[in-house]
Amino acid sequence: MLILAPMFWGGNVVAAKMVVGEMDPFLLLASRCVGATLFILPFAWRFLGADWPVIRRAWPLLMAYGAVGYALFNGLLYVGLTTTTAVNSSIEQGALPLIILAANFIVFRVRATPLQIVGVLIAITGVALTATHGDLARILTLDVNIGDGFVILACLSYAAYTLALRFRPPVHLMSFMAIAFSGAALTSLVMLQLFGTGLGSFASLPDASPKVWAVLAYVMVFPSMFSQVFYARGVELVGPNRAAPSHNLIPVFGALGSIIILGERPQAYHYIAAAIIIAGIIMAEWAARRRKGTI
């Protein structure tokens, strides 16, 4: 499950990039969230009935998971992809494991070894190299691609969602996803009205191209339902720190799709940044395993 989830998420980056300039990113987000909610409800209906006493007490928290982890994350990602490449976005998402590790330490005081901290700093350097397109000196003048900035903010929002999963109320996974998706759908509609082309833009969908409809079908089902279900269950089974490295596969699948499907050409700094991020992740993982083995 923790392999399939990032594979579909990597495809989400490629799919969103395919319709840049043809579809408002907030309309894509709203269509995805509303469609995913309608798709999952029939499968979750019987579980919702059984879990209703808990849902009635915890529905604001359950909907907040969807607002932050699904709507906000994908909204920032889709906006970022309008001005940055899918390869850049994929590499930057590869830093999610280290962001989660750092956030776990800051928020929950989950202790990290000095070597893990060094690994985090190394990986952050790789992300910065990607965001500045190979020129770290641009950070001093705040000359960072705005699209890369949005993608990094998206990663921060998903890290917050991952850490918050430890507080998930005791409901069936399908009930959780149905209510969370409903929260995402509501949030995405508000974002479309406030920042996008407005709710009236749904009327343009019947005239959309086959490519747009293919992208909508993909993002509604695979990165929305299957990835979220697989990832939430994976975190539940192994915990956020052990599940976090699965995000390392997002840049692999995303970059491959960007090169094969979109025809994007990786630059020298992409290879250097990817190598730096991988080195940081390996260092942090090795330190975590070594520490576990000594306890």
Side-chain angles (χ1 to χ4, degrees):
M1 288 189 289
L2 291 173
I3 293 174
L4 290 174
M7 182 177 74
F8 296 145
W9 278 323
N12 176 49
V13 174
V14 177
K17 190 65 178 179
M18 288 176 65
V19 294
V20 167
E22 192 171 347
M23 187 179 195
D24 173 52
F26 291 104
L27 178 59
L28 174 61
L29 173 68
S31 301
R32 169 184 175 169
C33 291
V34 172
T37 303
L38 296 176
F39 182 83
I40 200 174
L41 280 177
F43 299 99
W45 196 255
R46 65 187 182 94
F47 301 107
L48 288 170
D51 292 329
W52 187 247
V54 178
I55 293 172
R56 187 171 53 190
R57 296 193 303 269
W59 67 266
L61 175 60
L62 291 168
M63 294 188 77
Y65 281 117
V68 175
Y70 311 152
L72 183 59
F73 169 75
N74 283 292
L76 291 168
L77 176 64
Y78 291 164
V79 171
L81 283 168
T82 61
T83 53
T84 192
T85 65
V87 171
N88 266 34
S89 172
S90 298
I91 291 175
E92 286 155 358
Q93 287 182 72
L96 262 173
L98 284 307
I99 294 174
I100 293 170
L101 177 68
N104 244 336
F105 172 74
I106 294 170
V107 178
F108 298 118
R109 291 297 185 265
V110 176
R111 297 172 66 182
T113 67
L115 200 56
Q116 284 179 299
I117 295 172
V118 172
V120 170
L121 295 176
I122 290 174
I124 289 174
T125 301
V127 173
L129 189 66
T130 305
T132 57
H133 293 205
D135 183 7
L136 289 175
R138 293 170 63 180
I139 293 178
L140 299 177
T141 59
L142 299 180
D143 185 17
V144 177
N145 182 288
I146 187 66
D148 294 297
F150 276 115
V151 174
I152 293 172
L153 287 175
C155 292
L156 292 175
S157 71
Y158 205 82
Y161 163 77
T162 300
L163 265 62
L165 283 174
R166 66 167 57 195
F167 303 116
R168 182 167 77 85
V171 297
H172 191 277
L173 183 59
M174 294 303 291
S175 296
F176 169 72
M177 301 308 298
I179 303 301
F181 279 11
S182 299
L186 180 61
T187 303
S188 67
L189 291 173
V190 172
M191 293 171 71
L192 174 61
Q193 182 62 34
L194 293 179
F195 308 115
T197 50
L199 297 177
S201 58
F202 276 110
S204 66
L205 289 180
D207 298 323
S209 68
K211 181 176 69 175
V212 167
W213 278 105
V215 166
L216 284 176
Y218 175 80
V219 299
M220 284 179 188
V221 178
F222 291 95
S224 295
M225 179 175 175
F226 291 129
S227 283
Q228 303 296 355
V229 170
F230 291 164
Y231 185 71
R233 180 59 176 160
V235 171
E236 183 179 42
L237 290 174
V238 304
N241 269 10
R242 288 185 61 195
S246 66
H247 288 281
N248 301 342
L249 295 174
I250 294 177
V252 175
F253 292 122
L256 284 175
S258 302
I259 294 168
I260 296 172
I261 299 175
L262 301 177
E264 292 184 356
R265 292 187 176 183
Q267 304 298 316
Y269 72 85
H270 287 131
Y271 295 108
I272 297 172
I276 291 173
I277 292 173
I278 291 170
I281 290 170
I282 291 174
M283 184 177 294
E285 277 295 294
W286 181 77
R289 290 175 182 270
R290 183 183 178 188
R291 178 184 175 190
K292 183 179 178 182
T294 59
I295 294 174

